[in-house]
Amino acid sequence: MLKYFTSRILEAIPVFFIIVTAVFFMVRFVPGGPFDKERAVSEETLAALNSYYGLDEPLVVQYCSFLKNLARGDLGPSFKYAGWSVNEILREKALVSLELGGCALAIALVLGLGVGFAAAAFPSGKIGAALSGISLVGICLPAFVLGPVLILIFCLRLNCFNAMGWSDFPSDIVLPAFTLALFYAAWIARLSRSRAVEEKSRGYVRTAVAKGCGKGRVYFVHILRNAVEPVISYIGPAAAGLLSGSFVVETIFQIPGLGRFFISSALDNDYTMIMGCVMLYSVFIIAFNLLSDFLLAAVNPKIAKEMRK
Amino acid sequence: MKSDWILEESSSDSAFAKVWRALKADRLALASLFFIIVTASLCFAAGIVAPYDYQVQNLSLGATPPSMEHWFGTDIHGRDLLSRMLFGGRVSFAVGILATVVAVLIGTSYGMVSGMCGGKTDALMMRIVDIVYSLPFTIFVILLMMAFGRSLWLIFVAIGAVEWLTMARIVRAMTLDIKSRQFVEAAVALGESRWGIMRRHILPNVFGAVLVCAALTVPSVMLLEAFLSFLGLGVQAPLPSWGGLVKDGAEYMEDAPWMLVFPALFFSATLYALNRIGEAVSEGSGEK
């Protein structure tokens, strides 16, 4: 087990470096520089800016100094937000995104597993059909459709919530978290439903019923453990996306999170910021994939056995 | 033994028939198919059926609610929303279909070659898929757009380049499975070349799964395109697309809610119908 995960982590390191290197050179080959969009600057100012940030040096030198700084955990100054370092921006904004993403993840899991399981419990009845119908509707309502529609209904028509803003009120998180969560909840519901329906006809379930297990125990102890498998492998990459900030939801609800920097840094050619965002996201993806593998091994000894090989 | 072969071979060539039978049995899926055919043909015929041009502005008119002249109302520039939705739908459907074709072609051939080669080549090829999977897609696309300028073709390539990954994994897994079956062994024994085995034995057998996967890829591609257009990275104004229309609608929803409601409704209905068809197809053909 430990050996398996050590080798997985060791394997992830070169992948991380390939991604970082590819993006490092890609952003620099894209025409235009970080200071193009400022008010027309004179040639000398531009040259001074470029030399101040070391952008006039050959690419290889830039890459080496980037790696050197990375080893010290320093991601450099942001080109766009003067006076801010990428570390500071990431640290400050990531908290907001983590809060929002964490809430959304919790909602998605509870709602998704609940609906998926209820739908599996009544596979042929009207309730089951209605629930799986609802989960299909969920994957047809992406955040950029659902968010504005929810604002239109709950903020502008019913006046229940603040449409924008992010302050101390816990009510401000309700709509954005729900908007972010629904799509994922729908996927989780579909995945868990189809697996749970499959598992229901398996021999071990029949044995459990024959032994005299109550319906609740059969569902929540025997079937649940097997039905969460596809959900766990889905939630790994999904969680990375949720927690690193959703550009769409943060824009719609005017939330000062990280998601916005994700896109705007690339549009502004803010090299150091792009690198920061990409690295954070890659680390998240790698970490959550490992975590989901670990969880899979924890719920299913068969998988754990395979990993030991 | 012999009957086994016949079963395996004959179950593949009726992929279309099976799909059609499954669709006919499911009334909601049939209605979805009807909806998609009508909407898509109206959109592709937008040049003929659209009541107005999509870019002629009428600023004195401004945003007006739905009326007899403008069924879905007009946007803030006085452009007819119905016409813009028809032209936008044309873009969305075209991207959905073309990018899916790109994804199917790349994914199927990549997966088949990887599965056929096996060993180190296979491991390397799948490792590449894993790496591309973990790239942050949005940043990747933005960089592509900025390097090559925004164009409709680039959107196809960018989306196709992401969507082929799942397809490649599925096809590779199936190829590995089929490769070990007896009819392939028999073909090898008869001196069939690798290329011949892929074309004559593997391809027909993965066809059903590819069809199912393609059916479910179309809505996810349309979703991606709309997402890009919503970010302002997709189709460029004044050419509309559904994602762009939803974005405009979200901006002015306070004063002109119809600008949000109609595009959002049609976009979600289309996604629903496509997913419903995909689901019926996958249940009917017994593939996952």
Side-chain angles (χ1 to χ4, degrees):
Chain A
M1 253 325 236
L2 193 67
K3 209 173 132 199
Y4 173 81
F5 282 103
T6 327
S7 77
R8 278 289 306 270
I9 292 170
L10 288 180
E11 229 174 74
I13 293 171
V15 171
F16 178 76
F17 272 98
I18 291 173
I19 293 174
V20 167
T21 310
V23 176
F24 181 91
F25 286 105
M26 229 172 127
V27 291
R28 280 165 175 78
F29 281 127
V30 167
F35 307 112
D36 288 358
K37 290 202 187 109
E38 307 283 320
R39 285 159 287 122
V41 282
S42 62
E43 292 279 319
E44 298 96 67
T45 325
L46 194 63
L49 274 171
N50 277 337
S51 81
Y52 177 73
Y53 288 112
L55 289 174
D56 52 353
E57 293 181 58
L59 274 183
V60 186
V61 179
Q62 286 186 41
Y63 182 63
C64 288
S65 68
F66 162 74
L67 285 185
K68 229 183 280 166
N69 288 332
L70 183 61
R72 284 188 284 127
D74 179 12
L75 300 173
S78 163
F79 295 151
K80 178 79 185 171
Y81 304 93
W84 284 77
S85 77
V86 175
N87 292 47
E88 285 167 341
I89 296 179
L90 287 184
R91 208 176 306 138
E92 185 168 313
K93 306 294 172 186
L95 278 179
V96 176
S97 287
L98 278 178
E99 198 180 335
L100 176 64
C103 282
L105 192 59
I107 297 177
L109 278 173
V110 171
L111 202 65
L113 285 175
V115 170
F117 253 66
F122 314 97
S124 49
K126 276 197 179 130
I127 306 173
L131 287 176
S132 32
I134 290 173
S135 64
L136 187 56
V137 172
I139 63 167
C140 303
L141 289 172
F144 60 84
V145 171
L146 186 65
V149 170
L150 285 182
I151 291 183
L152 186 63
I153 296 172
F154 288 103
C155 305
L156 300 179
R157 292 284 176 267
L158 299 176
N159 277 320
C160 305
F161 297 101
N162 292 331
M164 320 263 157
W166 183 263
S167 40
D168 298 327
F169 303 112
S171 69
D172 278 351
I173 206 173
V174 175
L175 282 188
F178 183 74
T179 305
L180 195 52
L182 190 80
F183 185 78
Y184 295 91
W187 266 114
I188 292 172
R190 290 163 60 75
L191 289 170
S192 59
R193 188 200 79 100
S194 67
R195 178 59 80 89
V197 167
E198 239 172 70
E199 294 292 325
K200 258 175 86 175
S201 58
R202 299 275 290 271
Y204 71 89
V205 174
R206 222 178 307 144
T207 314
V209 173
K211 261 188 349 190
C213 269
K215 236 188 167 177
R217 202 180 148 74
V218 171
Y219 269 102
F220 289 105
V221 176
H222 295 268
I223 296 183
L224 179 72
R225 200 160 158 175
N226 286 295
V228 290
E229 241 175 65
V231 175
I232 293 174
S233 31
Y234 168 74
I235 210 72
L242 272 174
L243 295 176
S244 59
S246 153
F247 175 78
V248 172
V249 170
E250 286 178 8
T251 307
I252 293 173
F253 291 94
Q254 303 281 313
I255 295 167
L258 200 58
R260 262 197 246 188
F261 287 90
F262 229 140
I263 309 275
S264 64
S265 64
L267 290 176
D268 295 335
N269 276 320
D270 192 345
Y271 297 156
T272 43
M273 195 65 212
I274 299 176
M275 295 310 297
C277 288
V278 168
M279 280 189 283
L280 186 80
Y281 184 76
S282 311
V283 167
F284 268 36
I285 285 230
I286 292 168
F288 276 97
N289 276 332
L290 272 174
L291 188 70
S292 78
D293 274 1
F294 191 73
L295 279 175
L296 277 179
V299 293
N300 190 345
K302 243 198 310 194
I303 294 177
K305 204 175 164 190
E306 240 164 63
M307 285 175 182
R308 255 180 240 125
K309 273 178 199 166
Chain B
M1 268 307 138
K2 204 180 168 204
S3 65
D4 250 15
W5 297 3
I6 293 170
L7 256 180
E8 281 176 336
E9 293 282 12
S10 66
S11 65
S12 61
D13 49 24
S14 60
F16 274 120
K18 269 199 281 185
V19 163
W20 176 235
R21 225 178 303 131
L23 275 178
K24 266 200 301 195
D26 188 337
R27 239 186 291 166
L28 201 53
L30 211 57
S32 300
L33 187 64
F34 181 71
F35 173 79
I36 291 297
I37 290 174
V38 170
T39 317
S41 14
L42 282 177
C43 288
F44 280 114
I48 309 160
V49 295
Y52 299 89
D53 190 84
Y54 67 85
Q55 56 177 344
V56 172
Q57 304 188 351
N58 184 349
L59 290 173
S60 60
L61 190 61
T64 55
S67 62
M68 281 311 284
E69 288 84 49
H70 302 280
W71 289 0
F72 289 178
T74 54
D75 71 1
I76 49 149
H77 300 297
R79 294 176 293 196
D80 181 57
L81 191 58
L82 173 62
S83 308
R84 284 182 66 73
M85 278 172 60
L86 286 171
F87 280 100
R90 192 169 66 170
V91 174
S92 295
F93 276 111
V95 172
I97 293 166
L98 283 175
T100 304
V101 170
V102 172
V104 165
L105 289 180
I106 303 179
T108 312
S109 36
Y110 193 94
M112 268 203 318
V113 169
S114 179
M116 264 318 266
C117 291
K120 279 205 181 120
T121 322
D122 179 38
L124 179 72
M125 284 175 87
M126 282 301 120
R127 201 81 203 105
I128 292 174
V129 170
D130 289 344
I131 292 174
V132 181
Y133 242 123
S134 59
L135 277 178
F137 165 73
T138 23
I139 291 207
F140 184 64
V141 171
I142 296 166
L143 293 178
L144 270 181
M145 299 278 172
M146 293 177 71
F148 299 102
R150 274 183 240 172
S151 77
L152 212 52
W153 290 108
L154 199 64
I155 298 175
F156 294 144
V157 175
I159 296 178
V162 178
E163 292 287 338
W164 66 271
L165 298 166
T166 325
M167 197 89 67
R169 280 187 174 169
I170 294 171
V171 170
R172 178 220 167 224
M174 290 192 73
T175 305
L176 282 180
D177 174 47
I178 295 164
K179 205 170 76 169
S180 63
R181 302 241 201 116
Q182 276 154 340
F183 63 87
V184 176
E185 269 173 43
V188 173
L190 285 171
E192 183 84 87
S193 68
R194 273 189 168 188
W195 166 244
I197 289 172
M198 280 206 271
R199 195 169 56 89
R200 228 167 293 168
H201 299 284
I202 310 255
L203 194 58
N205 278 302
V206 296
F207 187 69
V210 168
L211 201 65
V212 168
C213 203
L216 290 168
T217 304
V218 178
S220 69
V221 167
M222 289 177 74
L223 190 64
L224 267 181
E225 184 275 323
F227 172 72
L228 289 177
S229 297
F230 185 87
L231 297 184
L233 292 169
V235 180
Q236 264 181 318
L239 192 68
S241 88
W242 283 355
L245 289 173
V246 171
K247 176 195 165 81
D248 291 347
E251 246 166 76
Y252 302 107
M253 65 183 158
E254 213 160 334
D255 308 311
W258 58 90
M259 275 178 67
L260 171 66
V261 171
F262 287 113
L265 195 68
F266 267 78
F267 179 63
S268 287
T270 303
L271 281 187
Y272 178 83
L274 285 170
N275 276 313
R276 195 72 197 74
I277 295 170
E279 207 169 67
V281 167
S282 76
E283 268 167 28
S285 64
E287 311 275 5
K288 274 197 209 154

